[in-house]
Amino acid sequence: MTASEEEHQISELVARLADKFPHLPARVIDEEVRGIHREFDDHRVREFIPLLVERIAERNLSRRVSYRAAHPTPGDQLRRPKQLFHSADV
């Protein structure tokens, strides 16, 4: 894998995670992914690094979302999508 191919995969990963975690700012997702990716800079075998970065980033971002759900701040109300149905409708 070339460096440009790896960078392309990392950029696609950031976009996928931004779709998966719409409650988090894109900047936070990008910083998380790129920070994890930097931790692999000294590894020679590059083929699986995007996959490893994805798994670690997804786990870390899921924890952030879980924490934010348990500890909301006043600004969180502005970023939450509207509820499409009530639990009584299910």
Side-chain angles (χ1 to χ4, degrees):
M1 173 181 309
T2 67
S4 64
E5 290 171 332
E6 185 174 323
E7 177 55 36
H8 181 71
Q9 287 187 10
I10 295 298
S11 295
E12 287 180 341
L13 170 59
V14 170
R16 280 195 313 274
L17 291 176
D19 288 341
K20 185 169 185 170
F21 297 99
H23 295 67
L24 295 176
R27 177 190 53 77
V28 169
I29 295 169
D30 186 71
E31 289 173 359
E32 182 73 29
V33 169
R34 305 250 178 227
I36 294 165
H37 187 235
R38 277 191 300 277
E39 292 180 24
F40 290 96
D41 280 350
D42 61 342
H43 289 72
R44 286 191 214 170
V45 179
R46 309 297 302 175
E47 297 302 316
F48 298 105
I49 289 178
L51 177 62
L52 294 171
V53 171
E54 180 171 10
R55 290 184 178 176
I56 296 167
E58 190 168 356
R59 183 185 65 215
N60 291 353
L61 294 169
S62 292
R63 288 179 181 162
R64 285 185 189 215
V65 169
S66 296
Y67 180 83
R68 286 179 68 145
H71 304 90
T73 61
D76 288 344
Q77 296 297 328
L78 301 175
R79 290 188 288 270
R80 289 190 181 152
K82 293 181 180 178
Q83 190 173 359
L84 298 177
F85 57 87
H86 298 284
S87 58
D89 296 338
V90 178

